[in-house]
Structure formats: C-alpha cells, structure tokens
Amino acid sequence: MSAMVIGSALGPLPYGIAFDVLGGYKEILLASLILPILASIAMFISPAPTIADKKALGTE
C-alpha cells in the first residue's frame, strides 16, 4: 500500500518536468513506451523456472 501511495505521488513528476522543459507531453509519452517494451523483451528472453528454483524458494 505504501508503494502505491509513493508511486502515485512521484509518478506525475517526470511528466510535469518534461512539460516544463519540453513544452508538451509528446516526448515523455513516447519515452514512457520504453519500459513496457523492455519488460516484454525481458519476459521473452528469461528462462522458465526449474524445479530446483522452486525448491530453493520453498514453493513446491
């Protein structure tokens, strides 16, 4: 819950700074697309968990 509150408070900060510096939101919105693209790439190239990984985490 605390992370959500902090994220909600700090989330608009880069957009406000970008608006002041660049005069609009277009550039920061395009830059914001980088994070989901990188997360998608990381998801596809990361290996699947093995049984040994599950045992180490205690989830088996």
Side-chain angles (χ1 to χ4, degrees), residues 13-51:
L13 188 60
Y15 294 92
I17 292 171
F19 185 82
D20 290 342
V21 172
L22 302 172
Y25 292 110
K26 181 180 177 182
E27 294 84 1
I28 191 68
L29 289 173
L30 290 174
S32 296
L33 291 174
I34 293 172
L35 288 176
I37 291 170
L38 291 176
S40 298
I41 292 169
M43 177 186 68
F44 284 114
I45 65 173
S46 65
T50 63
I51 293 174

